Amino acid sequence: MIPTLVSVVVILVAFLNGVQNEDNIQPCAKVQTSSSVVPLGSPVTATCFIRDDCPLVIGQAVHIEWHLGNRFIPSSPVASESGSISKVVIPNFNHTRAFLTCCIQASLLQVVGGVEIRAGYPPEAPQNLSCQTNLTTPNTLTCSWSPGRQQTHLLTKYTLHTEIRESNENRTYELQTGADHYIIPRSDFVLFSEMKVYIKADNELGEATSVPVVLEPVSAAKFDPPKILKVETVPKMYGCLKLRWNLSQHQSWMSVYRLNLEVRLKPAESSQWSKPILGSPVKPTRPVDLCHLHHGTQYFAQIRVSYQQSPWSEWSSSQSGVTLESAPTGRLDSWMKVSGDHMHKQLHMFWKPSKQFRANGQNVSYIVSVQASPGEKGKVCSTMGNYCTFQLPSKAKKVYLRAVNAAGKSRPTEVQISQTKARWVISNITAIPRGDHSLLVQWQSNDTFCLTGYVVEWRPLLKSDLSLIQFEIADQNQSSLVISGSIEPYKPYGISVYPRFKDGIGPPKTVNAYSRQKAPSMAPKIRMKKTWRSHIELTWDEIPLGQRNGVIQSCRVFYWAKEGPINVVNVDPEERRVILKDLNTVSLYEAFIMVSTSGGSLNGSTIHFEVEPFDAVTIVMIVMVTGVGLSLFIIVMVMTCFSNHKTLKGRFWPVVPDPANSSIKRWTSESTEDTHPSWDNEEPNPIYLSHLSFLDLPIKLSKEEDDLWLNDAEDTSDLGESICGSPCIPGYSNSGSVPYATVIFSGPCISPPPKEPHFYLRSESTQPLLETEESFSPKCYQNIGTDEMQREQCFFGPCDDYVPEGEPDPVIHWDDFPFLQALVMNDTEND
């Protein structure tokens, strides 16, 4: 619109500056060019002629200037008498549209003439012309093409031309600007007659025609997807199916013609379609036989059709059929784990079809037995799964695995029973993702001399079903394997590698892996466990395995005070606790935890906490309690130090007597109580012995009682209460000790000292009292006292050296009686 307005303005200005006569007004100048439409980038030449009678140049020197748009262009004058001709050459016209004006320099610059120049490209020939017939109602012929990548910058016209040779009928169809397809109605073509189709494009710089297409409309027809009527089992023909089909209802009239047919098949357990099978042209009324298929296998079939060179139709919907069954063939790959002792072996056996195995049936079961011959005898397991756990007979060294279907049994697969060997061969194992549905397992072995191979086993950790366990057998020279069975992203898998020996299976090396990781689905919630001083302990629960989405590599706790810096603490993922130290007791803190895997991170919810400081009341109470307690302690200590109470002092400062200076002086009620040293007398208490026992007896022993004692003198180990454990002397214990002698009183230990002499009984201890003692037979022992006490008391058996009263006492060597020497009784009161 703007270039048009500029052109009008230039013409008006030229006419206003023109010469007026009686008839009309003529412009002062005329501009001539070689062409007003030129190829883009080509040179342009223009000449301006000034009329001699132009009022702008009468009586004045003529000065001509050229302008292309608003830009000045230098020119060269042409030799003439008046100098009113000027010529300009533009070497490279790179505008798609511009105005070239001729101007006269008078008092003002005046436009006296001009011309519009347009530039562009000639059209390209349309490419990729094709036509397709639609046989549905209504029938049409659709042709499409590509107009070309280059823009012409000029108005380009496209037309579609058709020529029917048999009827010499030619048609032309005007196309809209920018159109790339056109639909020819059914009335303008004949299905079984050849026709020529081409596209023509033209503009002001030229024209171009596409490569013509010669076709028979029915040969360019794309049929609707055909329909499979039925897939039948062929009787007495193993591995064959019969397929019956037809065209759609709108194209059933084509059933009398032979059509091209392609079939593709897919076993029921597979997700991949086979390569299409192209048969010879066939009429839809005739069925098609498909052979060389697996026995007893369910197949899904799809078909598509075409006519001569026409494009293929879309694939039909699927229909299934089953071939005839036969007995299974081929081997089964298996491996086992043995647990329990040699008497009760528990066997876990897994298997899968090998590349050569053919089930040849639909309902296949598996039998494990300890006999190679078929039959129920020796069968230990029968299942339709891929594993079996059973108790193995103690003498069995191998088992036999068979596949069974309705048509028969396969040949047995012999499986040796391998014992578990404690041979740690595999030193390292890693699992690297190789896509969303596969993992590369790599391992290293220390010693491969005795190895026969490896077993790589993997299972999903989120499920415990044994049927989900999968395995692969690897050669002894292998150190890596790509596993891809049922691997899903963001799910954890346990992968184990077992070494295989000639005589058993070694312990595995296991690793957990993900084929792809992402941020965890949840973050743990932080809890405050306890606070003290300026510290606080935070804890959280473990993330469930199913929501980790990867291996948790790090946990970081972020915490900050209001308007304070952010602090970060890295925590071991296994710890699940952290202690934040050096916190300000007057600030409110915020914290959250971030858990990360190699695939991303997730932040938990934010919690608020503060460390409670000690208030003034608490501090005063602590100081008061501490002061009162310290004061009481000092008072007690001072009173104890300056007290004259002997018992009180003895409680705090007991005096341990010197055993070398200890002796029994008297037996009184005071001597059996807690006795402490006299503060006025420096002599230590003489009653502290290494071991002393007391036995309370009646005031006077009768003759019968004396005889009883004499008769029962053989068992005296339990007489009396040990002084170490006697209630008369607290603080001592005789646990684990054996007394050497027992001191027998004629009265209780709290009674006044008796007048009768004391008795001494020997214990049943087997430890000798004397180093020179040769026999354990009881001997006669004596009480040694003052001169008034001359009578002997014998309680350990008959006294061989007994002498009647009045005879002198025998000489006693006290060095031979180290323990009895401590029992010297002195009745002197002031000793």
Side-chain angles (χ1 to χ4, degrees):
M1 184 65 182
I2 294 178
T4 304
L5 293 176
V6 173
S7 177
V8 173
V9 171
V10 170
I11 295 174
L12 290 176
V13 171
F15 275 98
L16 290 175
N17 295 328
V19 178
Q20 184 176 3
N21 56 27
E22 295 179 356
D23 298 330
N24 53 11
I25 298 177
Q26 296 182 356
C28 283
K30 182 179 180 182
V31 177
Q32 293 181 351
T33 61
S34 56
S35 177
S36 61
V37 179
V38 297
L40 193 64
S42 63
V44 174
T45 302
T47 305
C48 182
F49 300 92
I50 305 298
R51 295 174 61 89
D52 295 336
D53 55 353
C54 177
L56 298 177
V57 299
I58 294 175
Q60 298 182 14
V62 178
H63 180 67
I64 302 175
E65 291 183 5
W66 291 90
H67 288 265
L68 183 63
N70 296 327
R71 185 168 61 90
F72 169 77
I73 299 177
S75 61
S76 59
V78 179
S80 62
E81 296 180 355
S82 60
S84 58
I85 302 175
S86 179
K87 184 178 181 180
V88 65
V89 176
I90 302 174
N92 184 9
F93 191 83
N94 53 11
H95 300 275
T96 58
R97 192 170 192 172
F99 286 91
L100 182 64
T101 56
C102 177
C103 304
I104 296 177
Q105 183 67 45
S107 58
L108 295 174
L109 187 64
Q110 300 290 331
V111 177
V112 295
V115 65
E116 181 186 23
I117 301 176
R118 292 180 292 117
Y121 298 104
E124 290 182 345
Q127 304 293 326
N128 303 323
L129 174 62
S130 63
C131 297
Q132 181 176 307
T133 305
N134 179 23
L135 296 181
T136 58
T137 305
N139 294 345
T140 57
L141 179 65
T142 302
C143 296
S144 59
W145 63 90
S146 174
R149 297 182 179 179
Q150 189 177 26
Q151 187 177 1
T152 63
H153 302 291
L154 299 173
L155 181 62
T156 303
K157 181 181 179 181
Y158 291 88
T159 54
L160 174 66
H161 301 266
T162 62
E163 299 177 2
I164 301 177
R165 296 181 177 180
E166 291 184 1
S167 59
N168 294 325
E169 183 179 353
N170 299 334
R171 295 180 181 275
T172 301
Y173 305 93
E174 296 284 342
L175 305 177
Q176 296 180 357
T177 302
D180 58 358
H181 70 280
Y182 187 80
I183 299 176
I184 302 175
R186 175 67 180 84
S187 58
D188 293 347
F189 66 90
V190 180
L191 284 175
F192 294 95
S193 295
E194 283 190 354
M195 62 184 301
K196 180 180 180 181
V197 182
Y198 60 91
I199 306 293
K200 181 182 291 186
D202 65 283
N203 60 16
E204 294 174 278
L205 294 179
E207 67 177 23
T209 303
S210 68
V211 177
V213 174
V214 179
L215 55 88
E216 186 181 20
V218 71
S219 300
K222 183 177 181 179
F223 288 81
D224 292 339
K227 182 179 180 180
I228 299 178
L229 302 178
K230 192 175 183 181
V231 179
E232 300 175 342
T233 301
V234 182
K236 299 182 180 181
M237 293 183 65
Y238 290 98
C240 290
L241 292 173
K242 187 181 291 295
L243 189 148
R244 301 183 184 276
W245 63 285
N246 206 341
L247 294 175
S248 66
Q249 183 178 359
H250 299 289
Q251 300 166 0
S252 58
W253 54 271
M254 285 290 296
S255 298
V256 295
Y257 298 94
R258 291 181 177 272
L259 303 177
N260 301 323
L261 179 68
E262 270 191 351
V263 183
R264 66 178 184 180
L265 301 171
K266 180 184 71 171
E269 66 274 7
S270 175
S271 60
Q272 299 293 329
W273 290 96
S274 65
K275 185 178 180 181
I277 303 171
L278 176 63
S280 57
V282 61
K283 294 182 179 181
T285 55
R286 297 191 60 182
V288 177
D289 291 334
L290 306 172
C291 292
H292 306 291
L293 306 178
H294 295 315
H295 301 182
T297 304
Q298 182 183 14
Y299 285 94
F300 287 93
Q302 291 182 342
I303 61 174
R304 63 180 181 178
V305 296
S306 68
Y307 179 75
Q308 295 184 359
Q309 304 301 321
S310 69
W312 289 101
S313 68
E314 300 297 329
W315 290 102
S316 67
S317 58
S318 300
Q319 291 290 339
S320 65
V322 181
T323 57
L324 285 177
E325 290 189 4
S326 61
T329 57
R331 287 179 53 85
L332 292 166
D333 291 335
S334 64
W335 94 284
M336 66 180 65
K337 302 178 188 178
V338 179
S339 61
D341 54 22
H342 66 283
M343 296 297 296
H344 301 86
K345 294 179 181 178
Q346 191 76 12
L347 185 63
H348 309 275
M349 188 173 180
F350 302 85
W351 57 81
K352 65 176 183 177
S354 65
K355 293 182 179 179
Q356 296 80 21
F357 179 79
R358 296 290 179 267
N360 297 334
Q362 292 297 297
N363 299 320
V364 180
S365 60
Y366 302 91
I367 296 176
V368 180
S369 62
V370 294
Q371 293 185 0
S373 58
E376 293 296 323
K377 187 176 181 180
K379 184 172 68 174
V380 295
C381 180
S382 178
T383 179
M384 297 188 70
N386 61 345
Y387 77 97
C388 188
T389 301
F390 53 89
Q391 194 78 23
L392 190 66
S394 59
K395 296 182 180 180
K397 295 183 179 180
K398 61 182 68 176
V399 294
Y400 300 90
L401 177 64
R402 294 181 179 85
V404 182
N405 62 13
K409 297 180 180 179
S410 67
R411 299 184 61 182
T413 299
E414 182 180 300
V415 182
Q416 293 289 337
I417 300 173
S418 302
Q419 300 294 332
T420 302
K421 303 295 180 180
R423 301 177 187 175
W424 296 93
V425 175
I426 300 174
S427 60
N428 187 31
I429 178 176
T430 58
I432 304 173
R434 289 289 297 270
D436 289 349
H437 302 284
S438 61
L439 289 165
L440 173 62
V441 182
Q442 298 175 319
W443 62 89
Q444 295 178 353
S445 301
N446 297 328
D447 184 14
T448 59
F449 178 73
C450 298
L451 284 174
T452 60
Y454 302 92
V455 177
V456 181
E457 178 191 85
W458 67 96
R459 63 182 182 88
L461 296 180
L462 298 179
K463 300 177 181 178
S464 58
D465 188 0
L466 292 179
S467 64
L468 299 178
I469 294 179
Q470 301 188 53
F471 68 93
E472 284 288 346
I473 307 298
D475 188 72
Q476 61 178 349
N477 297 322
Q478 285 185 251
S479 60
S480 63
L481 181 69
V482 177
I483 60 175
S484 58
S486 303
I487 301 295
E488 298 181 9
Y490 317 125
K491 304 295 183 183
Y493 291 87
I495 304 171
S496 301
V497 178
Y498 293 79
R500 301 181 69 184
F501 307 100
K502 293 181 179 179
D503 56 348
I505 297 290
K509 200 75 173 180
T510 303
V511 67
N512 296 338
Y514 292 79
S515 63
R516 187 176 182 182
Q517 301 186 39
K518 65 178 180 179
S521 300
M522 65 164 291
K525 185 177 181 181
I526 299 178
R527 299 188 304 271
M528 293 180 291
K529 186 174 183 181
K530 62 179 179 179
T531 61
W532 69 99
R533 295 188 185 133
S534 60
H535 299 2
I536 185 171
E537 182 177 0
L538 304 178
T539 62
W540 55 89
D541 294 330
E542 185 179 12
I543 302 176
L545 183 61
Q547 296 183 351
R548 296 179 190 176
N549 300 330
V551 179
I552 302 298
Q553 296 181 338
S554 66
C555 293
R556 291 192 288 176
V557 176
F558 297 78
Y559 68 98
W560 65 94
K562 187 177 182 180
E563 299 179 356
I566 297 178
N567 304 291
V568 183
V569 179
N570 293 317
V571 186
D572 187 349
E574 301 296 332
E575 287 292 329
R576 301 198 299 278
R577 61 183 291 271
V578 66
I579 298 177
L580 306 181
K581 302 179 180 180
D582 302 326
L583 302 178
N584 192 345
T585 58
V586 297
S587 299
L588 178 65
Y589 283 85
E590 297 182 37
F592 70 87
I593 186 173
M594 181 176 72
V595 290
S596 302
T597 67
S598 62
S601 302
L602 180 67
N603 296 338
S605 58
T606 303
I607 66 168
H608 300 78
F609 65 89
E610 59 182 348
V611 181
E612 294 291 341
F614 290 119
D615 54 10
V617 177
T618 305
I619 295 175
V620 171
M621 292 296 295
I622 293 175
V623 172
M624 290 179 61
V625 172
T626 304
V628 171
L630 184 59
S631 301
L632 292 175
F633 178 75
I634 294 174
I635 293 172
V636 171
M637 292 301 295
V638 170
M639 292 179 63
T640 302
C641 292
F642 295 96
S643 174
N644 294 325
H645 198 283
K646 297 180 180 180
T647 303
L648 181 61
K649 286 187 176 182
R651 291 293 182 181
F652 289 94
W653 294 282
V655 176
V656 179
D658 184 2
N661 299 322
S662 299
S663 62
I664 300 178
K665 296 176 60 177
R666 59 181 175 271
W667 295 87
T668 62
S669 61
E670 295 180 357
S671 64
T672 60
E673 299 176 357
D674 293 344
T675 307
H676 299 279
S678 174
W679 297 102
D680 298 332
N681 190 355
E682 295 181 357
E683 182 182 358
N685 193 322
I687 72 168
Y688 285 88
L689 302 176
S690 62
H691 197 104
L692 197 61
S693 297
F694 295 91
L695 184 65
D696 292 341
L697 293 176
I699 297 176
K700 175 98 176 145
L701 291 174
S702 63
K703 183 175 182 5
E704 293 77 5
E705 291 172 340
D706 291 341
D707 296 339
L708 181 60
W709 279 100
L710 292 174
N711 296 331
D712 295 339
E714 295 181 357
D715 186 10
T716 60
S717 61
D718 59 342
L719 293 177
E721 174 75 11
S722 173
I723 192 172
C724 300
S726 174
C728 300
I729 301 179
Y732 289 85
S733 173
N734 66 339
S735 60
S737 63
V738 179
Y740 281 100
T742 302
V743 180
I744 303 177
F745 289 89
S746 61
C749 62
I750 60 174
S751 62
K755 296 181 180 181
E756 291 81 9
H758 308 298
F759 298 94
Y760 300 92
L761 298 180
R762 183 179 178 180
S763 171
E764 284 293 320
S765 171
T766 59
Q767 182 174 356
L769 289 174
L770 304 177
E771 296 180 356
T772 60
E773 185 176 3
E774 298 179 355
S775 173
F776 291 104
S777 61
K779 299 293 183 179
C780 181
Y781 286 83
Q782 298 176 343
N783 283 337
I784 307 301
T786 61
D787 296 336
E788 292 85 8
M789 302 176 64
Q790 300 295 332
R791 185 170 175 237
E792 295 180 357
Q793 301 291 338
C794 182
F795 288 93
F796 294 92
C799 297
D800 297 333
D801 55 350
Y802 176 77
V803 292
E805 184 176 353
E807 295 182 2
D809 295 334
V811 180
I812 299 175
H813 300 282
W814 290 107
D815 294 335
D816 297 336
F817 299 86
F819 285 89
L820 293 180
Q821 187 178 6
L823 301 178
V824 175
M825 306 297 295
N826 294 325
D827 293 336
T828 306
E829 296 180 359
N830 297 324
D831 188 4

